[in-house]
Amino acid sequence: MMRRLAEFVMRGRIQAIVIASLGVLSPLFILLTLPTIGLVTLRKGWQQGAIVTLGPVATGAALAALLGVDALALYVNLGAIFVVSLIALVLRQTGSWPAALAALVALCILAVLVPSVIGFDPSVIVQEQLKLVLEAQPQEGREELEKLFSGMTEQVVGGAMALPIAFCALFGMLIARWWQAMLFNPGGFKEELQGLRLPPVLASACVVAFAFCEWRGESYVVWQGLVVLPLLVAGLGLFHWIANKKNWGVGPLVFVYITLLFPPIWFAVIVLGLTDVWIDYRKRFNLMQQ
């Protein structure tokens, strides 16, 4: 099914625009929109990618104007669309996943900061929505909600928007690269993912950014998840490589992905990706096998 969908997208511009535009109609369809934009950009370049991107952007603007679609949800969707189109371009030009991951983090930060500079601050919209929710509550339960909402600072809201944009864009980019390999380079995506290893500069930047967020306090906890995303992906890539070498099958992989919701597993995968920068587990394992 996935192969047929990828082939349909590559048949022509109209087909790609139709599939890409579905993502604005429902949050579920965004998982089709992002890979479509990523695949077209990877294969045909930024011009064709930009044309396909205009489809969901125009659809989203029309829905917002005519039907009053939730501005925040639309913002996250469109933010992910722009981010995935740009990181696809980076990956096409460089062929480097570390470069694409660095661009992903930087673009997601900009996606939250730039709108506030030009007069559209998404965090203000969230805070206004929270006030409306609070006013609609009975007096008995209002105090507890006031305590909860008091912690929703601009930094917390910004991180809570940047992180979903990052995960959606990353998922879309991974699917797009998988589609591209499926159609034009069988086995290429598996080789890229399992060989992913961050350069020391990027890994160090992730650690410094994480420490900075830790120093700034609880308001930046969500931002920590964003800045270490390259390490998380690198750790998962290494685990895929280990599972392949050990012939573990899909069971351990499924277990790790499910348990990523728990901080100890999440932290362990990040540490795996970080230490691999200097230890190079693949090289050491291959030497042991000789």
Side-chain angles (χ1 to χ4, degrees), residues 125-136:
I125 296 176
V126 174
Q127 290 169 352
E128 290 177 352
Q129 291 178 343
L130 293 178
K131 288 180 181 178
L132 293 176
V133 172
L134 187 63
E135 291 173 357

mmCIF file with all atom_site columns, all heavy atoms in Angstrom, residues 125-136:
data_model
loop_
_atom_site.group_PDB
_atom_site.id
_atom_site.type_symbol
_atom_site.label_atom_id
_atom_site.label_alt_id
_atom_site.label_comp_id
_atom_site.label_asym_id
_atom_site.label_entity_id
_atom_site.label_seq_id
_atom_site.pdbx_PDB_ins_code
_atom_site.Cartn_x
_atom_site.Cartn_y
_atom_site.Cartn_z
_atom_site.occupancy
_atom_site.B_iso_or_equiv
_atom_site.pdbx_formal_charge
_atom_site.auth_seq_id
_atom_site.auth_comp_id
_atom_site.auth_asym_id
_atom_site.auth_atom_id
_atom_site.pdbx_PDB_model_num
ATOM 1  N N   . ILE A 1 125 ? -2.315  33.258 21.860 1.00 0.00 ? 125 ILE A N   1
ATOM 2  C CA  . ILE A 1 125 ? -3.566  32.589 21.488 1.00 0.00 ? 125 ILE A CA  1
ATOM 3  C C   . ILE A 1 125 ? -3.896  31.490 22.496 1.00 0.00 ? 125 ILE A C   1
ATOM 4  O O   . ILE A 1 125 ? -5.037  31.344 22.935 1.00 0.00 ? 125 ILE A O   1
ATOM 5  C CB  . ILE A 1 125 ? -3.455  31.995 20.077 1.00 0.00 ? 125 ILE A CB  1
ATOM 6  C CG1 . ILE A 1 125 ? -3.258  33.115 19.057 1.00 0.00 ? 125 ILE A CG1 1
ATOM 7  C CG2 . ILE A 1 125 ? -4.684  31.177 19.726 1.00 0.00 ? 125 ILE A CG2 1
ATOM 8  C CD1 . ILE A 1 125 ? -3.046  32.611 17.648 1.00 0.00 ? 125 ILE A CD1 1
ATOM 9  N N   . VAL A 1 126 ? -2.878  30.702 22.862 1.00 0.00 ? 126 VAL A N   1
ATOM 10 C CA  . VAL A 1 126 ? -3.096  29.627 23.826 1.00 0.00 ? 126 VAL A CA  1
ATOM 11 C C   . VAL A 1 126 ? -3.550  30.194 25.161 1.00 0.00 ? 126 VAL A C   1
ATOM 12 O O   . VAL A 1 126 ? -4.500  29.680 25.789 1.00 0.00 ? 126 VAL A O   1
ATOM 13 C CB  . VAL A 1 126 ? -1.807  28.801 24.004 1.00 0.00 ? 126 VAL A CB  1
ATOM 14 C CG1 . VAL A 1 126 ? -1.982  27.777 25.118 1.00 0.00 ? 126 VAL A CG1 1
ATOM 15 C CG2 . VAL A 1 126 ? -1.446  28.096 22.717 1.00 0.00 ? 126 VAL A CG2 1
ATOM 16 N N   . GLN A 1 127 ? -2.891  31.234 25.621 1.00 0.00 ? 127 GLN A N   1
ATOM 17 C CA  . GLN A 1 127 ? -3.246  31.817 26.911 1.00 0.00 ? 127 GLN A CA  1
ATOM 18 C C   . GLN A 1 127 ? -4.660  32.404 26.889 1.00 0.00 ? 127 GLN A C   1
ATOM 19 O O   . GLN A 1 127 ? -5.393  32.326 27.881 1.00 0.00 ? 127 GLN A O   1
ATOM 20 C CB  . GLN A 1 127 ? -2.215  32.884 27.286 1.00 0.00 ? 127 GLN A CB  1
ATOM 21 C CG  . GLN A 1 127 ? -0.854  32.279 27.638 1.00 0.00 ? 127 GLN A CG  1
ATOM 22 C CD  . GLN A 1 127 ? 0.242   33.312 27.750 1.00 0.00 ? 127 GLN A CD  1
ATOM 23 O OE1 . GLN A 1 127 ? 0.049   34.478 27.422 1.00 0.00 ? 127 GLN A OE1 1
ATOM 24 N NE2 . GLN A 1 127 ? 1.410   32.895 28.217 1.00 0.00 ? 127 GLN A NE2 1
ATOM 25 N N   . GLU A 1 128 ? -5.074  32.976 25.758 1.00 0.00 ? 128 GLU A N   1
ATOM 26 C CA  . GLU A 1 128 ? -6.434  33.491 25.637 1.00 0.00 ? 128 GLU A CA  1
ATOM 27 C C   . GLU A 1 128 ? -7.451  32.352 25.667 1.00 0.00 ? 128 GLU A C   1
ATOM 28 O O   . GLU A 1 128 ? -8.512  32.476 26.286 1.00 0.00 ? 128 GLU A O   1
ATOM 29 C CB  . GLU A 1 128 ? -6.563  34.285 24.334 1.00 0.00 ? 128 GLU A CB  1
ATOM 30 C CG  . GLU A 1 128 ? -5.807  35.609 24.350 1.00 0.00 ? 128 GLU A CG  1
ATOM 31 C CD  . GLU A 1 128 ? -5.894  36.332 23.014 1.00 0.00 ? 128 GLU A CD  1
ATOM 32 O OE1 . GLU A 1 128 ? -6.407  35.709 22.054 1.00 0.00 ? 128 GLU A OE1 1
ATOM 33 O OE2 . GLU A 1 128 ? -5.467  37.483 22.939 1.00 0.00 ? 128 GLU A OE2 1
ATOM 34 N N   . GLN A 1 129 ? -7.113  31.227 25.015 1.00 0.00 ? 129 GLN A N   1
ATOM 35 C CA  . GLN A 1 129 ? -8.001  30.073 25.041 1.00 0.00 ? 129 GLN A CA  1
ATOM 36 C C   . GLN A 1 129 ? -8.122  29.509 26.452 1.00 0.00 ? 129 GLN A C   1
ATOM 37 O O   . GLN A 1 129 ? -9.198  29.085 26.878 1.00 0.00 ? 129 GLN A O   1
ATOM 38 C CB  . GLN A 1 129 ? -7.500  29.007 24.070 1.00 0.00 ? 129 GLN A CB  1
ATOM 39 C CG  . GLN A 1 129 ? -7.628  29.393 22.606 1.00 0.00 ? 129 GLN A CG  1
ATOM 40 C CD  . GLN A 1 129 ? -7.083  28.339 21.669 1.00 0.00 ? 129 GLN A CD  1
ATOM 41 O OE1 . GLN A 1 129 ? -6.328  27.457 22.079 1.00 0.00 ? 129 GLN A OE1 1
ATOM 42 N NE2 . GLN A 1 129 ? -7.447  28.424 20.393 1.00 0.00 ? 129 GLN A NE2 1
ATOM 43 N N   . LEU A 1 130 ? -7.012  29.500 27.175 1.00 0.00 ? 130 LEU A N   1
ATOM 44 C CA  . LEU A 1 130 ? -7.054  29.013 28.554 1.00 0.00 ? 130 LEU A CA  1
ATOM 45 C C   . LEU A 1 130 ? -7.916  29.906 29.435 1.00 0.00 ? 130 LEU A C   1
ATOM 46 O O   . LEU A 1 130 ? -8.629  29.420 30.325 1.00 0.00 ? 130 LEU A O   1
ATOM 47 C CB  . LEU A 1 130 ? -5.623  28.940 29.112 1.00 0.00 ? 130 LEU A CB  1
ATOM 48 C CG  . LEU A 1 130 ? -4.694  27.895 28.486 1.00 0.00 ? 130 LEU A CG  1
ATOM 49 C CD1 . LEU A 1 130 ? -3.304  27.969 29.110 1.00 0.00 ? 130 LEU A CD1 1
ATOM 50 C CD2 . LEU A 1 130 ? -5.257  26.492 28.651 1.00 0.00 ? 130 LEU A CD2 1
ATOM 51 N N   . LYS A 1 131 ? -7.870  31.200 29.188 1.00 0.00 ? 131 LYS A N   1
ATOM 52 C CA  . LYS A 1 131 ? -8.711  32.122 29.964 1.00 0.00 ? 131 LYS A CA  1
ATOM 53 C C   . LYS A 1 131 ? -10.194 31.847 29.716 1.00 0.00 ? 131 LYS A C   1
ATOM 54 O O   . LYS A 1 131 ? -11.008 31.898 30.633 1.00 0.00 ? 131 LYS A O   1
ATOM 55 C CB  . LYS A 1 131 ? -8.363  33.565 29.593 1.00 0.00 ? 131 LYS A CB  1
ATOM 56 C CG  . LYS A 1 131 ? -7.016  34.039 30.117 1.00 0.00 ? 131 LYS A CG  1
ATOM 57 C CD  . LYS A 1 131 ? -6.756  35.490 29.708 1.00 0.00 ? 131 LYS A CD  1
ATOM 58 C CE  . LYS A 1 131 ? -5.395  35.949 30.212 1.00 0.00 ? 131 LYS A CE  1
ATOM 59 N NZ  . LYS A 1 131 ? -5.098  37.353 29.779 1.00 0.00 ? 131 LYS A NZ  1
ATOM 60 N N   . LEU A 1 132 ? -10.533 31.580 28.462 1.00 0.00 ? 132 LEU A N   1
ATOM 61 C CA  . LEU A 1 132 ? -11.932 31.276 28.135 1.00 0.00 ? 132 LEU A CA  1
ATOM 62 C C   . LEU A 1 132 ? -12.387 29.995 28.823 1.00 0.00 ? 132 LEU A C   1
ATOM 63 O O   . LEU A 1 132 ? -13.512 29.910 29.322 1.00 0.00 ? 132 LEU A O   1
ATOM 64 C CB  . LEU A 1 132 ? -12.089 31.142 26.614 1.00 0.00 ? 132 LEU A CB  1
ATOM 65 C CG  . LEU A 1 132 ? -11.886 32.423 25.794 1.00 0.00 ? 132 LEU A CG  1
ATOM 66 C CD1 . LEU A 1 132 ? -11.973 32.124 24.303 1.00 0.00 ? 132 LEU A CD1 1
ATOM 67 C CD2 . LEU A 1 132 ? -12.920 33.477 26.185 1.00 0.00 ? 132 LEU A CD2 1
ATOM 68 N N   . VAL A 1 133 ? -11.492 28.992 28.846 1.00 0.00 ? 133 VAL A N   1
ATOM 69 C CA  . VAL A 1 133 ? -11.809 27.741 29.540 1.00 0.00 ? 133 VAL A CA  1
ATOM 70 C C   . VAL A 1 133 ? -12.012 28.004 31.021 1.00 0.00 ? 133 VAL A C   1
ATOM 71 O O   . VAL A 1 133 ? -12.939 27.473 31.653 1.00 0.00 ? 133 VAL A O   1
ATOM 72 C CB  . VAL A 1 133 ? -10.693 26.705 29.322 1.00 0.00 ? 133 VAL A CB  1
ATOM 73 C CG1 . VAL A 1 133 ? -10.927 25.467 30.194 1.00 0.00 ? 133 VAL A CG1 1
ATOM 74 C CG2 . VAL A 1 133 ? -10.619 26.303 27.854 1.00 0.00 ? 133 VAL A CG2 1
ATOM 75 N N   . LEU A 1 134 ? -11.155 28.835 31.595 1.00 0.00 ? 134 LEU A N   1
ATOM 76 C CA  . LEU A 1 134 ? -11.228 29.132 33.020 1.00 0.00 ? 134 LEU A CA  1
ATOM 77 C C   . LEU A 1 134 ? -12.522 29.875 33.362 1.00 0.00 ? 134 LEU A C   1
ATOM 78 O O   . LEU A 1 134 ? -13.178 29.578 34.368 1.00 0.00 ? 134 LEU A O   1
ATOM 79 C CB  . LEU A 1 134 ? -10.015 29.972 33.428 1.00 0.00 ? 134 LEU A CB  1
ATOM 80 C CG  . LEU A 1 134 ? -9.838  30.243 34.919 1.00 0.00 ? 134 LEU A CG  1
ATOM 81 C CD1 . LEU A 1 134 ? -9.627  28.935 35.675 1.00 0.00 ? 134 LEU A CD1 1
ATOM 82 C CD2 . LEU A 1 134 ? -8.649  31.190 35.147 1.00 0.00 ? 134 LEU A CD2 1
ATOM 83 N N   . GLU A 1 135 ? -12.921 30.811 32.532 1.00 0.00 ? 135 GLU A N   1
ATOM 84 C CA  . GLU A 1 135 ? -14.138 31.589 32.790 1.00 0.00 ? 135 GLU A CA  1
ATOM 85 C C   . GLU A 1 135 ? -15.394 30.730 32.697 1.00 0.00 ? 135 GLU A C   1
ATOM 86 O O   . GLU A 1 135 ? -16.412 31.038 33.329 1.00 0.00 ? 135 GLU A O   1
ATOM 87 C CB  . GLU A 1 135 ? -14.220 32.745 31.790 1.00 0.00 ? 135 GLU A CB  1
ATOM 88 C CG  . GLU A 1 135 ? -13.149 33.807 32.013 1.00 0.00 ? 135 GLU A CG  1
ATOM 89 C CD  . GLU A 1 135 ? -13.145 34.854 30.912 1.00 0.00 ? 135 GLU A CD  1
ATOM 90 O OE1 . GLU A 1 135 ? -13.939 34.690 29.956 1.00 0.00 ? 135 GLU A OE1 1
ATOM 91 O OE2 . GLU A 1 135 ? -12.350 35.807 31.001 1.00 0.00 ? 135 GLU A OE2 1
ATOM 92 N N   . ALA A 1 136 ? -15.309 29.657 31.922 1.00 0.00 ? 136 ALA A N   1
ATOM 93 C CA  . ALA A 1 136 ? -16.475 28.788 31.754 1.00 0.00 ? 136 ALA A CA  1
ATOM 94 C C   . ALA A 1 136 ? -16.635 27.783 32.889 1.00 0.00 ? 136 ALA A C   1
ATOM 95 O O   . ALA A 1 136 ? -17.658 27.090 32.956 1.00 0.00 ? 136 ALA A O   1
ATOM 96 C CB  . ALA A 1 136 ? -16.380 28.045 30.418 1.00 0.00 ? 136 ALA A CB  1
#
